[in-house]
Amino acid sequence: ETGVTQTPRHLVMGMTNKKSLKCEQHLGHNAMYWYKQSAKKPLELMFVYSLEERVENNSVPSRFSPECPNSSHLFLHLHTLQPEDSALYLCASSQSLTTDTQYFGPGTRLTVL
Amino acid sequence: EDKVVQSPLSLVVHEGDTVTLNCSYEVTNFRSLLWYKQEKKAPTFLFMLTSSGIEKKSGRLSSILDKKELFSILNITATQTGDSAIYLCAVPAVGGTSYGKLTFGQGTILTVHP
């Protein structure tokens, strides 16, 4: 498999559930990112990881918890979400933090009931 | 704070038309500007522009940057229904603690009718 993959592609959860989003990149990149894309709003950066270390947390609520066990995998753990958290969550990777071109996965469409 | 504004927000054309999408930016330190095409889900990379006045071209798509006036345009000639998508413009943060941060515009929704 090539590029950036994400699972699941669709997720419906209640406000009391706990779930995790998974991202895997097959590009040998060292930096990985989580973005949120809500309707009619620009993509918003949530987290940045470089070589498994978090370098940016863009004022994201603690109900979103990222994890980067190695440079190829990135998770976003979700708990006690709100309906307004419903959005498309996109993962991306780049060669390094100073490489501008980021490559995106297909996203997870999350619906919080 | 870096800012990216795209126009128009939406555009409806017929096959064969030529379209021009605009992206203006305000950044503390400029290094590059990127264009992406988003169909259904994943934004796919189109162009990265770093130098003013040099056109990047890929088939019917082309893009140019004007660093003096702080904008870029994306042109699509002889549009096809497969060009229907959201076109995103982004600039990376340079320096400081904003490592790897891309600031995106709102996107232009292009619809091409047969």
Side-chain angles (χ1 to χ4, degrees):
Chain A
E1 196 151 15
T2 59
V4 181
T5 58
Q6 289 186 244
T7 54
R9 297 292 302 274
H10 300 270
L11 178 63
V12 179
M13 59 187 288
M15 289 191 281
T16 57
N17 292 158
K18 287 185 181 182
K19 296 285 184 185
S20 295
L21 310 185
K22 180 183 174 184
C23 174
E24 184 173 0
Q25 58 96 0
H26 309 268
L27 300 168
H29 289 169
N30 291 323
M32 295 186 77
Y33 312 81
W34 279 117
Y35 286 87
K36 177 183 178 182
Q37 189 175 34
S38 305
K40 302 193 179 183
K41 289 175 75 173
L43 268 82
E44 302 169 61
L45 180 68
M46 299 175 74
F47 300 105
V48 180
Y49 275 83
S50 174
L51 296 170
E52 300 115 63
E53 253 191 70
R54 190 192 309 181
V55 296
E56 177 94 7
N57 175 353
N58 221 27
S59 303
V60 179
S62 59
R63 57 186 184 269
F64 295 92
S65 174
E67 179 191 359
C68 188
N70 55 62
S71 58
S72 298
H73 292 85
L74 186 65
F75 293 89
L76 188 63
H77 303 298
L78 316 171
H79 62 98
T80 58
L81 294 192
Q82 305 297 312
E84 59 265 28
D85 297 322
S86 299
L88 180 66
Y89 289 85
L90 290 161
C91 173
S93 71
S94 64
Q95 185 63 53
S96 71
L97 288 180
T98 55
T99 309
D100 295 339
T101 307
Q102 295 179 17
Y103 295 88
F104 286 82
T108 295
R109 173 68 63 187
L110 174 67
T111 303
V112 181
L113 301 176
Chain B
E1 190 174 317
D2 295 349
K3 189 176 173 187
V4 177
V5 177
Q6 292 184 245
S7 64
L9 293 182
S10 65
L11 192 53
V12 180
V13 299
H14 287 94
E15 273 193 318
D17 289 349
T18 293
V19 298
T20 298
L21 311 183
N22 302 289
C23 175
S24 63
Y25 61 90
E26 293 174 26
V27 296
T28 307
N29 293 296
F30 180 84
R31 183 167 65 207
S32 68
L33 182 144
L34 298 100
W35 283 98
Y36 286 86
K37 176 183 181 183
Q38 186 175 20
E39 298 172 273
K40 312 240 169 139
K41 296 276 182 80
T44 52
F45 171 72
L46 293 175
F47 299 112
M48 183 172 78
L49 301 154
T50 56
S51 300
S52 213
I54 297 176
E55 186 183 52
K56 289 276 182 101
K57 202 169 168 67
S58 175
R60 296 175 295 101
L61 278 66
S62 63
S63 185
I64 198 159
L65 177 69
D66 186 326
K67 286 165 77 171
K68 184 179 174 189
E69 300 298 329
L70 308 182
F71 76 91
S72 172
I73 59 171
L74 176 68
N75 276 320
I76 309 175
T77 58
T79 51
Q80 301 171 358
T81 55
D83 295 325
S84 297
I86 302 173
Y87 290 85
L88 300 167
C89 172
V91 290
V94 178
T97 57
S98 298
Y99 298 107
K101 178 177 179 179
L102 282 180
T103 298
F104 281 86
Q106 321 93 298
T108 294
I109 303 171
L110 175 65
T111 305
V112 182
H113 288 309

